[in-house]
Amino acid sequence: MAKQGETAERILAIAQRMIQSEGYNGFSFRDIAAEIGIKSASVHYHYATKGDLGAAVAARYAARFVTWLERIVTEGRDARHRLILYVGLFRAAVVEDGRMCLCGMLGAESESLPLEVLEEARQFFTRNLAWLGNVFESGAADGTLIFTGSSEDHARLTLAALEGAMVFARVNGDPASFDQIAETALARYTR
Amino acid sequence: MAKQGETAERILAIAQRMIQSEGYNGFSFRDIAAEIGIKSASVHYHYATKGDLGAAVAARYAARFVTWLERIVTEGRDARHRLILYVGLFRAAVVEDGRMCLCGMLGAESESLPLEVLEEARQFFTRNLAWLGNVFESGAADGTLIFTGSSEDHARLTLAALEGAMVFARVNGDPASFDQIAETALARYTR
DNA sequence: GTCTATAAGATGATAGAC
DNA sequence: GTCTATCATCTTATAGAC
């Protein structure tokens, strides 16, 4: 969590975008270098191996996500409102930028990932499910989210639907289908 | 749809498994050749380019899926039963073999795919959503599936949840989470 | 149908100069 | 921090012999 240099930061941002667009196996150090206007050897100076870079990207993504989650806890009026804001995090990636969730992409590619990258993706899901589980639990308590069964189960179902919805939106080049799925998923919890 | 030679068939099967495991960008003609015990030039004899091979794999997968869907229509006692059998198709891939849905993987990788491959993945989703939409429609009619909103919306939501559930199961190496998500999703449709 | 041989380029990574 | 140079290897793909 130390402060990052200017170039190291740009590398992370570009690598993240490329993984979200083409997948972990779909980008190279040369691609990144070309976009910045440096050579691939310079990228290796900042991140020794591709596994190191991938793990750093995933860790940064997960950490930022945690920050956003904390903000939602502050801003969300009630559990239902928090859930809506949560959906907005995913919506931003796919609808505004046409990208997958970074960890959804990495999750699909699990088997071809270096272990250190996979481990970061795992933590993303673990943390998100814990947070979402709390939202459903407080939703059951404050009456803004109606469901039967455990809050953990509905946290899983909701996150799975969001990840799947991003795949849909991309394969059809139709961001609106993400919104449609998200709305149908949320509608089930009111009334 | 002409009859395939022995080797051509093996190539398709191996390529499919590799795409489901490592992704389209995670396998090479050499990988396939090595597993069969031939040279990569021989793979090129059967499928001139990687795009050709990828499109053939996706087309075969989608065609087989259609066959399975037809069988479900025959075997399914009612709409709810058909939906349960449908979930079983996805379950088989992830729980028994630890693989992604082929088209879920391709959908995530959309942006780095040759157009002919993407097009086949698209058709898979289109056909599945049409079929699932019919299931929900008849479920509303025969009373075995209870929901508010359109059958198309619930078809989308269900398929999205299944695709997402496969990502979960793989990232955690925990097939049981697929079952948990699928059950939670189905439970919502029986009152 | 499969092979050898080969091309032409990409890839992850390193050594050492500036 | 960035460069040049280089490496060994992999990748998709083709030509032509068997």
Side-chain angles (χ1 to χ4, degrees):
Chain A
M1 298 287 159
K3 228 173 272 181
Q4 298 278 162
E6 167 76 12
T7 304
E9 179 60 30
R10 290 184 69 189
I11 291 171
L12 286 179
I14 293 168
Q16 179 185 325
R17 199 203 65 226
M18 287 181 173
I19 295 174
Q20 287 180 280
S21 299
E22 341 270 352
Y24 182 80
N25 294 313
F27 81 97
S28 74
F29 273 43
R30 276 183 167 78
D31 294 333
I32 294 175
E35 189 166 322
I36 298 182
I38 57 178
K39 298 295 172 180
S40 71
S42 303
V43 178
H44 277 284
Y45 167 81
H46 294 282
Y47 300 96
T49 71
K50 194 176 181 181
D52 289 341
L53 173 55
V57 168
R60 191 185 76 142
Y61 183 83
R64 287 190 173 189
F65 228 89
V66 167
T67 304
W68 291 331
L69 296 184
E70 286 165 358
R71 194 172 308 162
I72 287 178
V73 171
T74 308
E75 294 177 2
R77 294 187 295 271
D78 54 35
R80 174 165 171 71
H81 188 220
R82 281 180 204 166
L83 185 54
I84 292 170
L85 293 175
Y86 182 75
V87 170
L89 295 183
F90 292 83
R91 187 183 191 281
V94 73
V95 176
E96 290 166 24
D97 299 328
R99 303 187 204 167
M100 272 295 290
C101 166
L102 181 92
C103 293
M105 179 70 90
L106 294 178
E109 291 179 305
S110 297
E111 257 172 282
S112 58
L113 296 183
L115 276 184
E116 62 268 31
V117 180
L118 178 58
E119 186 49 39
E120 295 292 341
R122 258 185 203 136
Q123 286 198 26
F124 170 87
F125 285 110
T126 304
R127 288 178 197 171
N128 270 266
L129 288 179
W131 187 90
L132 251 190
N134 282 336
V135 169
F136 276 101
E137 206 143 335
S138 56
D142 69 19
T144 57
L145 294 175
I146 301 169
F147 59 91
T148 54
S150 76
S151 50
E152 286 80 16
D153 283 349
H154 286 280
R156 269 188 226 257
L157 174 60
T158 300
L159 185 47
L162 292 176
E163 294 288 353
M166 297 183 91
V167 173
F168 272 51
R170 279 165 55 84
V171 83
N172 290 320
D174 173 28
S177 59
F178 175 87
D179 287 330
Q180 236 164 25
I181 293 169
E183 275 167 36
T184 308
L186 292 198
R188 301 235 100 193
Y189 295 117
T190 54
R191 114 129 273 284
Chain B
M1 298 288 160
K3 227 173 272 180
Q4 297 280 162
E6 167 76 12
T7 304
E9 179 60 30
R10 290 185 69 188
I11 291 171
L12 287 180
I14 293 169
Q16 180 185 322
R17 199 204 63 226
M18 286 182 173
I19 295 174
Q20 286 181 279
S21 298
E22 341 271 351
Y24 182 81
N25 294 313
F27 80 98
S28 73
F29 274 42
R30 270 190 170 83
D31 294 332
I32 294 175
E35 189 166 324
I36 297 181
I38 57 178
K39 298 294 173 180
S40 71
S42 303
V43 179
H44 277 283
Y45 167 80
H46 294 281
Y47 300 96
T49 71
K50 192 176 182 181
D52 289 341
L53 173 54
V57 168
R60 191 185 75 140
Y61 183 84
R64 288 191 172 188
F65 227 89
V66 167
T67 303
W68 292 330
L69 296 184
E70 285 165 359
R71 193 171 308 161
I72 288 178
V73 171
T74 308
E75 295 177 1
R77 294 186 297 270
D78 55 34
R80 173 165 169 73
H81 189 220
R82 281 181 204 164
L83 185 55
I84 292 171
L85 293 176
Y86 182 75
V87 170
L89 296 182
F90 291 84
R91 188 183 190 282
V94 74
V95 176
E96 290 166 24
D97 299 327
R99 303 186 204 168
M100 271 295 291
C101 166
L102 181 91
C103 293
M105 179 70 89
L106 294 178
E109 291 179 306
S110 295
E111 258 172 281
S112 58
L113 296 183
L115 276 185
E116 63 268 31
V117 181
L118 179 58
E119 187 49 39
E120 296 293 342
R122 258 185 203 137
Q123 286 198 26
F124 170 88
F125 285 110
T126 304
R127 289 178 196 172
N128 270 266
L129 288 179
W131 187 88
L132 251 191
N134 282 337
V135 170
F136 275 102
E137 206 144 334
S138 55
D142 68 18
T144 58
L145 294 176
I146 301 168
F147 59 92
T148 54
S150 76
S151 51
E152 287 81 14
D153 283 350
H154 286 280
R156 267 189 228 256
L157 175 60
T158 300
L159 185 47
L162 292 177
E163 294 289 353
M166 296 183 91
V167 173
F168 272 51
R170 279 164 54 82
V171 83
N172 290 320
D174 173 28
S177 59
F178 174 87
D179 287 330
Q180 234 164 26
I181 293 168
E183 277 168 36
T184 308
L186 292 199
R188 301 234 100 195
Y189 295 117
T190 54
R191 121 127 334 258

